[in-house]
Amino acid sequence: MDHRARFAVDCLHKQYPEPDRLPEDACLVFVRDRGVCVRKGSTEGSTKGSTPTIFQAAFPDLPGELKRDELTRDARYLGHRGAVACYAVEVPGDLPLPEGLAYSGVRELAGLVPDGELAVAALAVQIVDYDRTTRFCGRCGAATEPVRTERAKICPSCHRIAYPRLSPAIIVLVRKGGSILMVRGGGAAPGRYSLVAGFVEPGETIEDAVRREVREEAGIAIKNIRYCASEPWPFPDSLMLGFVADYDGGDIAPDGVEIESAVWFDRDHLPVLPPQLSLTRALIDDWIAASAASAASAPSSPSGDPAAGGDAAGDGRSSSQSSAQDDRSASRINEGR
Ligand SMILES: [Zn+2]
């Protein structure tokens, strides 16, 4: 399956050992809380029509109160953009911003800055968070030190190494005849459905996790598990792994706690879908295309699945209900961490 992972950082390459000192021409990404600083696109003068950017040509542009050395003491290396080293720099929450700069949450930047920059913005937030949460050794409590030859911190006392946390999570589109399984979490807005998703647990293979999540969330067995695509989802640190699988038995039985409703939807009665570009949406779009191609190749043979579109369980909500829908599977995962 062809899926463009919008938070995959492909415009930076890492060079280790990282530079000893912050280079004069370094490119900075300013991070505050879980957002980044954006230079707004200009509509005037020589920069007319310029695109908003998260990369700051830092020093000539910084106001007097932003002292370079002070601000960049804890700059975190992100990688090189061409020949220029890029760093994330955390700025104090009360620091006033110069004209033309504004803070933004990372997801709100989708479609506003170039795709590569969106991914770098997410990486910058993620790395600043990693840095904040690994300042002291988790085993002995000593202050950690950065490792210059890889993205890691080491404890000088007990030598424990801390890497950025990465949480693998699966998302799976389950097929049954001409329908797919979608689920609705407890507390989700009416009409919001997504695919089964969840974190991989210690001791599991990825396939075990797919089977377990479908069994836990919908009560059914599956077979023919096939990997499709992956996507970094850095909110805060997931790596989403997308699969398709086929129904293999059992009746839908949502647990009523995490999942309040699980429903087979056919192609003509899908709920409001998650945004374009999400892995959830890519899996569904891929299935829609395959299912349309299959229908076109056998026009005299309508869906042979009598359950299609009507085999609802749980709250029995109609698939025609709609609401604004985000990539809820991922947000549920986030909430669970
Ligand atoms: Zn230690």
Side-chain angles (χ1 to χ4, degrees), residues 61-306:
D61 298 312
L62 289 174
E65 61 266 33
L66 292 178
K67 299 286 186 278
R68 171 182 175 157
D69 291 346
E70 212 173 300
L71 192 66
T72 58
R73 190 184 305 130
D74 294 323
R76 291 85 167 177
Y77 175 66
L78 297 175
H80 275 69
R81 187 176 177 229
V84 178
C86 296
Y87 290 78
V89 173
E90 188 174 16
V91 295
D94 56 356
L95 196 70
L97 285 177
E99 187 73 19
L101 298 186
Y103 286 112
S104 171
V106 171
R107 277 184 270 197
E108 288 71 30
L109 291 176
L112 293 179
V113 299
D115 283 352
E117 294 196 22
L118 181 70
V120 173
L123 176 69
V125 170
Q126 192 173 4
I127 294 305
V128 165
D129 184 63
Y130 157 67
D131 189 57
R132 276 194 210 120
T133 53
T134 53
R135 287 187 176 158
F136 300 95
C137 175
R139 182 190 288 147
C140 76
T144 57
E145 296 172 352
V147 176
R148 294 279 171 202
T149 52
E150 60 179 338
R151 184 167 282 152
K153 303 270 201 78
I154 188 164
C155 171
S157 175
C158 75
H159 308 296
R160 181 179 185 272
I161 294 182
Y163 294 100
R165 190 173 73 165
L166 201 54
S167 305
I170 62 88
I171 183 158
V172 56
L173 180 143
V174 181
R175 304 175 297 199
K176 179 188 179 190
S179 300
I180 58 171
L181 177 68
M182 297 189 77
V183 296
R184 212 174 90 77
R192 290 179 58 154
Y193 282 82
S194 191
L195 300 178
V196 169
F199 286 102
V200 181
E201 294 185 354
E204 279 186 328
T205 65
I206 302 281
E207 292 80 2
D208 287 341
V210 172
R211 275 187 286 270
R212 175 183 52 75
E213 286 291 345
V214 174
R215 190 175 61 245
E216 286 178 0
E217 296 197 359
I220 61 171
I222 56 171
K223 60 184 178 183
N224 304 331
I225 298 170
R226 185 167 60 80
Y227 170 77
C228 293
S230 66
E231 168 172 82
W233 194 254
F235 307 102
D237 51 32
S238 300
L239 173 63
M240 304 298 299
L241 304 157
F243 294 83
V244 294
D246 293 315
Y247 169 80
D248 192 33
D251 294 325
I252 282 185
D255 64 13
V257 181
E258 183 186 0
I259 297 299
E260 107 180 6
S261 172
V263 180
W264 294 110
F265 287 105
D266 70 19
R267 186 161 52 98
D268 297 327
H269 300 85
L270 289 168
V272 173
L273 297 179
Q276 294 281 356
L277 299 177
S278 68
L279 182 54
T280 308
R281 179 63 179 267
L283 289 165
I284 295 171
D285 284 350
D286 200 55
W287 169 76
I288 290 172
S291 135
S294 161
S297 68
S300 62
S301 174
S303 167
D305 180 5

